[in-house]
Amino acid sequence: MSHQRHTATTMSPPEAWHAGAETVWLPTAEEMAALDRAAVESGATTERTLIEAAGREVARRVQEHYPDGTVLAVAGRGHNGADALVALRTLKAWGRSVRAIQAGRSPPDPDVLIGWDLPLESPESLPEAGGAASVVLDGIFGTGVSGPPREPQAGLIERINELAAARVAVDGPSGADFTTGAVAGACVRAHLTVTLGWPNLGLLRHPAREYCGRIEGVDIGFPPPGEPMAARAITGRWVKLALVPRPPDAHKGRAGYLSLFAGQEGMAGACLLGARAALRGGIGILKVVSAPGNREIVQRSAPGAIFVSWSKGDEVDNAIDWAGALAVGPGLGRGDERRALVDRVLRNRGDRPAVIDADGLAAYAGNLDALAALVTGRDVITPHPGELASLTGQTLDAILDDPLRAAVETADRLGCVVLLKGAPSVVAGDDGPVRVSTTGGPAVAAGGTGDVLTGLIGAYLAVDMAAADAAAAALLITGIAAARSPQAVGHLASDVPDQIPS
């Protein structure tokens, strides 16, 4: 069937990475309800106007992606059910064959059929109606519902998932928590989610993300929020505007100086991934400060870099003083000597910004106060959840349950920017909304991708990008570069740096 061309998609096509809006808020369910309420109470719009706009946008996306066959809507009593019926009514006006099933004891309120002959059939009609449909609209639940669905809706959801038709969720898949991303019971597994106004934060969090398929946000006429929301998406258009342009008369001295401290013997690969990412990210001059045994492999594999042995203290100090920014940690190794090296770099760097990753953070495991004394608001740390747990003493479960809270609290305690890796990754610490990644997915789940990210952040810090901007831009571009890897199976982190320039 036609919908098989549009199965679950994790991101927009890479060639369109900078299309769309610059600012995309990611409200919680509570924030979204408040925005809806404020829009109506202010007189800027009406409840019925928002429903009409939402339904027409859903219809337009259905027609764009799935232009053939009968469309079936399963409509609950709330606004999402009303949105689905407006979409159905609109599609019928455009000549599509449509049917509707009532998902609860009462029809959607308000009545939006305005005289169109669209009888609401009983749930018992779903097997026959669904079997004849090419598209099913999920309008069972809206943003405010949490916890596992009850009967009869739970059974309807299970039967919808068994249909061969394309499944389109209105605003979000029924059964998912729009704030936390939790899926406590039955949940519609959509091929396409048309999210209304702003995408809810929970739709980007797992496991709900797995049930959304491709997410497309549509404008339905909300005014801008009166105050910034807690989270916003890292968008391609924002990154395009944030990146520092290279002037026509640029030379290497104006493109940034970065010193990368990485790679004990036997871990040269991590060092090279960071180095190649920095070079591909546009750094003017790169010094790689590494174990002396790595000199030949670094100079062979990254000939654009200058090698510095960390066994020579005066050369280490020169590399610190020379740099415009520092990157510390990939494959650095552990133990007293490595801890002393990290301390030396951070204590002697003056006001130079730094990105600290992996073994650079492990040097302060269980001693957050020691790290707090060495970092500033110009710095970025990039832990994964396990590293953050070791650093802060929080449990891994607590971090995974609420990564935004964990990142914000750690940023507040340290006074620096925290990029907490995950699905999605988040950036906190510049006193603004938490920034949430929108690219990546399975493509970044390869060992060494974090080293690539560190090198790219370092390159951006070296040209004076603000710490949170550098982290957010590097997150988006690393995700797109990973998605462009030619290998569908056996993807390697070493494939990523060469994709960064394009």
Side-chain angles (χ1 to χ4, degrees):
M1 298 180 67
S2 63
H3 75 268
Q4 293 176 349
R5 295 183 292 111
H6 301 280
T7 53
T9 304
T10 57
M11 66 192 76
S12 299
E15 62 272 12
W17 69 272
H18 59 271
E22 177 185 353
T23 301
V24 175
W25 298 109
L26 299 173
T28 63
E30 183 178 355
E31 287 176 325
M32 195 69 232
L35 180 62
D36 192 322
R37 187 167 56 250
V40 173
E41 291 175 354
S42 71
T45 186
T46 68
E47 180 181 274
R48 185 59 179 267
T49 299
L50 293 173
I51 290 172
E52 289 290 326
R56 286 182 174 273
E57 284 296 328
V58 172
R60 187 169 67 84
R61 297 304 170 111
V62 169
Q63 192 69 10
E64 176 184 337
H65 290 290
Y66 312 112
D68 303 315
T70 298
V71 181
L72 171 69
V74 184
R77 62 173 297 179
H79 284 180
N80 276 42
D83 298 339
L85 290 185
V86 171
L88 210 63
R89 189 193 79 206
T90 303
L91 288 163
K92 183 170 185 176
W94 294 346
R96 293 290 292 270
S97 173
V98 300
R99 293 176 71 173
I101 287 177
Q102 182 174 305
R105 293 186 178 89
S106 57
D109 184 28
D111 177 16
V112 293
L113 296 180
I114 58 171
W116 283 81
D117 183 20
L118 276 173
L120 291 174
E121 303 176 38
S122 70
E124 287 72 25
S125 301
L126 181 59
E128 180 271 326
S134 64
V135 183
V136 175
L137 293 182
D138 162 30
I140 300 174
F141 295 132
T143 60
V145 177
S146 60
R150 300 177 181 177
E151 295 297 342
Q153 289 83 4
L156 280 172
I157 290 170
E158 296 289 1
R159 288 193 289 275
I160 287 170
N161 286 337
E162 294 170 357
L163 298 174
R167 297 179 288 275
V168 178
V170 177
D171 215 12
S174 294
D177 189 302
F178 284 42
T179 295
T180 67
V183 174
C187 185
V188 171
R189 191 171 290 276
H191 299 96
L192 170 68
T193 294
V194 182
T195 186
L196 309 171
W198 308 108
N200 285 91
L201 174 63
L203 302 186
L204 271 66
R205 297 183 61 184
H206 288 266
R209 182 66 190 87
E210 302 163 39
Y211 291 80
C212 292
R214 179 180 176 87
I215 298 174
E216 295 189 1
V218 297
D219 175 43
I220 62 170
F222 282 122
E227 297 180 357
M229 294 183 177
R232 61 179 287 183
I234 302 169
T235 67
R237 185 172 294 278
W238 173 83
V239 170
K240 184 180 181 182
L241 295 172
L243 290 176
V244 177
R246 186 73 58 88
D249 61 345
H251 54 81
K252 62 184 180 182
R254 295 176 63 184
Y257 291 180
L258 176 68
S259 286
L260 170 66
F261 293 78
Q264 69 174 357
E265 291 192 23
M267 291 292 290
C271 169
L272 286 172
L273 289 169
R276 290 180 58 220
L279 292 166
R280 288 299 198 182
I283 194 68
I285 306 179
L286 172 68
K287 286 189 176 182
V288 175
V289 185
S290 189
N294 289 335
R295 179 184 296 273
E296 182 175 352
I297 189 170
V298 169
Q299 293 188 327
R300 283 182 179 274
S301 301
I306 300 168
F307 185 86
V308 175
S309 171
W310 66 34
S311 65
K312 299 181 179 180
D314 58 338
E315 292 190 16
V316 170
D317 290 337
N318 287 338
I320 297 170
D321 293 339
W322 165 88
L326 307 161
V328 184
L332 194 71
R334 304 187 182 186
D336 292 342
E337 289 187 8
R338 297 292 82 77
R339 165 69 185 268
L341 176 62
V342 178
D343 264 352
R344 182 175 192 162
V345 171
L346 296 181
R347 291 183 187 281
N348 296 340
R349 63 185 169 128
D351 63 354
R352 296 168 182 82
V355 52
I356 309 162
D357 180 37
D359 291 339
L361 295 175
Y364 301 97
N367 195 355
L368 194 67
D369 290 341
L371 180 60
L374 295 172
V375 295
T376 74
R378 300 189 69 199
D379 299 329
V380 182
I381 68 168
T382 62
H384 58 59
E387 290 168 338
L388 190 66
S390 296
L391 190 64
T392 64
Q394 299 179 68
T395 67
L396 182 60
D397 284 345
I399 293 169
L400 293 173
D401 285 346
D402 197 344
L404 274 74
R405 174 205 56 79
V408 169
E409 289 183 357
T410 305
D412 288 345
R413 291 177 66 185
L414 289 175
C416 71
V417 169
V418 175
L419 189 167
L420 177 57
K421 300 169 187 171
S425 297
V426 301
V427 178
D430 63 343
D431 297 326
V434 174
R435 309 183 197 195
V436 181
S437 64
T438 55
T439 62
V444 298
T449 308
D451 305 322
V452 173
L453 180 63
T454 297
L456 192 54
I457 294 172
Y460 292 159
L461 290 175
V463 290
D464 293 327
M465 285 186 72
D469 291 350
L475 257 182
L476 181 129
I477 290 175
T478 300
I480 294 171
R484 282 183 166 178
S485 168
Q487 304 298 327
V489 178
H491 163 80
L492 303 175
S494 56
D495 298 330
V496 178
D498 290 344
Q499 299 295 331
I500 289 173
S502 60

